[in-house]
Amino acid sequence: MANKQYMRTKKIDIRAFTMIAILILLWLVFTFFTSDHFRSLENSFISPRNISNLARQMAIVGIMASSMTLVIVSGGIDLSAGTVAGFIGCLVAALQVLVGLPTPVVIGIALVTGVVVYLIQGYIIAYAGLVAFIVTLGGQLLFRGLILAVTGGRTIAPLNESLVYFGQAHISEMVGLVIGIVVSVVLLLNEIQKRRNKQKHGTLAEGIHMMLIRWGVAAAIIMIAIIVMNHFRGVPVPVLIMGIIVVILTLIAQRTSFGRSIYAIGGNLDAARYSGIHVRKNMVMVYMIHGVAVAVAGMLLAARLNASPTTAANMNLELDAIAGAVIGGTSMSGGVGKVAGAILGALIMATLDNGMSMLNMDAYWQFIVKGIILVAAVWLDVYTRRKDKK
């Protein structure tokens, strides 16, 4: 049993390492062509300014991809996330500019709107028995219309500085370093706790040196990223918000009975029912949690633009979020996926957009390359799952 668990973990790690290798390769290629063959890094892909912009760029998709992971793990899908985020962003702009509501009230309304929207969609999927693909596709079309209804097709701007802060500001260098250290310590404690749990259940199949290497690599990446961004203006606030959401969703997925129920439902729906899990209720809750993340993404989108994201329906944010989750290791069959993996996938997607833009490549290449990487990620998932069954 322990050997089987070890082999499954090994295969999952290989999949993750493959995606990391692709990300490193992309960074090297883009840096090579934007730095005059590594001769000048000042304005290259890995310059502090661009790394900061890249992090800010990926934050919105990263937030949606992290909650999309839970939706897909539970066996669902959401094709409306991008347009719902755009609608909430437009609603925020309209309430603040046209109605004159203060930022705290606007934020509260936006969060409630996100929860209500996905409460309705989740209820239709779970209790009415409609397929999630159709329900959320209908939601996508509905909110495209509502975006036009709210904005009249025009841009609503500018927003209050207190709201724009969340999309454009940076935290101080010292605060960024402290956060990095705290996160690194928390990661170490989490690794130690997981190791103890495996020892308790007799499933521990790796030496402590592997745990320390894994933690050391993660901590080093976090600290290096913070130090690089500090050389520009500091860690962007949207990145900090994304990090908070990722931590919360990871704790929900890994440390709660509700999180374990999500994986059980996506892994084997009938078995989940027979084990006493309230499948319908949990599915609705997954969509409601996703609604909070989508609402936050919509507010950040409006704050970053300092205007209503009237063209959000054409930005394909939901497709980037789904692709980010899948590239990060989430299985479209359900039952498998990690929230942190979605951030890796979102970073790969943002890297492609950012790097190709710096190289002035035609927009169609972004879609072509994204499509290839997405199909390759799904193929790798299918391949590893077949190997697991042997």
Side-chain angles (χ1 to χ4, degrees):
M1 179 67 181
N3 185 56
K4 183 177 179 181
Q5 178 69 21
Y6 169 73
M7 292 301 294
R8 179 172 177 81
T9 302
K10 184 177 179 182
K11 287 181 173 62
I12 293 175
D13 286 344
I14 290 175
R15 189 190 194 289
F17 291 150
T18 301
M19 292 299 105
I20 293 174
I22 290 174
L23 179 62
I24 293 173
L25 178 61
L26 289 173
W27 279 44
L28 288 174
V29 170
F30 289 138
T31 302
F32 178 80
F33 286 108
T34 58
S35 64
D36 190 21
H37 303 174
F38 298 120
R39 293 189 184 94
S40 176
L41 300 179
E42 183 178 356
N43 296 312
S44 69
F45 178 83
I46 61 171
S47 66
R49 175 189 292 271
N50 192 61
I51 294 298
S52 180
N53 291 335
L54 175 64
R56 188 199 306 275
Q57 184 178 347
M58 70 160 286
I60 293 173
V61 172
I63 289 171
M64 290 198 295
S66 61
S67 61
M68 186 74 75
T69 295
L70 300 184
V71 173
I72 298 176
V73 163
S74 69
I77 194 69
D78 178 23
L79 299 180
S80 66
T83 48
V84 173
F87 167 74
I88 291 177
C90 292
L91 179 64
V92 164
L95 291 174
Q96 193 155 79
V97 177
L98 303 181
V99 181
L101 295 181
T103 297
V105 175
V106 168
I107 292 175
I109 293 175
L111 293 175
V112 171
T113 301
V115 171
V116 171
V117 166
Y118 280 96
L119 168 61
I120 295 172
Q121 291 198 102
Y123 186 88
I124 294 173
I125 293 168
Y127 287 91
L130 273 67
V131 179
F133 181 92
I134 297 301
V135 174
T136 58
L137 178 60
Q140 180 188 100
L141 300 175
L142 170 66
F143 284 99
R144 281 188 178 185
L146 289 177
I147 287 175
L148 295 176
V150 169
T151 64
R154 68 185 188 277
T155 300
I156 302 174
L159 307 182
N160 291 351
E161 291 184 4
S162 56
L163 182 58
V164 173
Y165 170 87
F166 293 103
Q168 298 185 6
H170 300 75
I171 61 177
S172 67
E173 296 181 10
M174 183 57 66
V175 172
L177 291 173
V178 170
I179 291 175
I181 294 171
V182 170
V183 171
S184 298
V185 172
V186 171
L187 287 177
L188 178 59
L189 295 176
N190 183 59
E191 288 288 349
I192 293 173
Q193 182 62 40
K194 289 195 296 184
R195 182 177 178 84
R196 288 176 177 174
N197 289 338
K198 289 180 180 179
Q199 286 178 327
K200 181 179 178 181
H201 295 92
T203 58
L204 182 63
E206 67 174 13
I208 192 171
H209 64 284
M210 288 301 299
M211 182 199 78
L212 293 175
I213 291 174
R214 183 169 58 248
W215 169 77
V217 170
I221 291 174
I222 291 171
M223 295 306 299
I224 291 173
I226 291 174
I227 291 171
V228 170
M229 287 186 283
N230 279 348
H231 275 78
F232 180 54
R233 293 179 180 174
V235 178
V237 171
V239 177
L240 176 61
I241 295 174
M242 179 187 70
I244 294 172
I245 290 176
V246 168
V247 170
I248 293 173
L249 294 181
T250 299
L251 291 175
I252 290 174
Q254 298 182 1
R255 301 290 185 179
T256 67
S257 58
F258 168 68
R260 291 187 287 273
S261 298
I262 294 174
Y263 285 87
I265 292 170
N268 191 321
L269 182 60
D270 291 333
R273 286 199 179 101
Y274 293 142
S275 64
I277 295 175
H278 198 314
V279 173
R280 292 177 176 176
K281 177 182 176 181
N282 285 333
M283 288 178 65
V284 173
M285 289 181 65
V286 168
Y287 278 96
M288 290 173 66
I289 292 171
H290 178 54
V292 174
V294 171
V296 173
M299 287 188 290
L300 292 180
L301 181 60
R304 191 182 75 180
L305 298 174
N306 192 17
S308 60
T310 308
T311 60
N314 301 320
M315 295 172 67
N316 296 317
L317 293 175
E318 62 280 336
L319 299 183
D320 281 350
I322 294 171
V326 173
I327 290 173
T330 302
S331 172
M332 292 299 294
S333 301
V336 176
K338 291 184 177 180
V339 173
I343 302 304
L344 173 62
L347 181 55
I348 291 177
M349 301 296 284
T351 294
L352 292 171
D353 288 337
N354 183 282
M356 291 184 180
S357 296
M358 291 188 70
L359 294 177
N360 294 319
M361 296 179 66
D362 292 327
Y364 62 81
W365 279 112
Q366 297 182 21
F367 295 106
I368 292 173
V369 176
K370 283 182 180 180
I372 292 173
I373 291 180
L374 177 59
V375 172
V378 174
W379 173 83
L380 186 59
D381 172 65
V382 173
Y383 176 78
T384 54
R385 288 170 68 87
R386 286 177 179 172
K387 285 289 185 180
D388 287 341
K389 293 179 181 179
K390 293 182 179 180

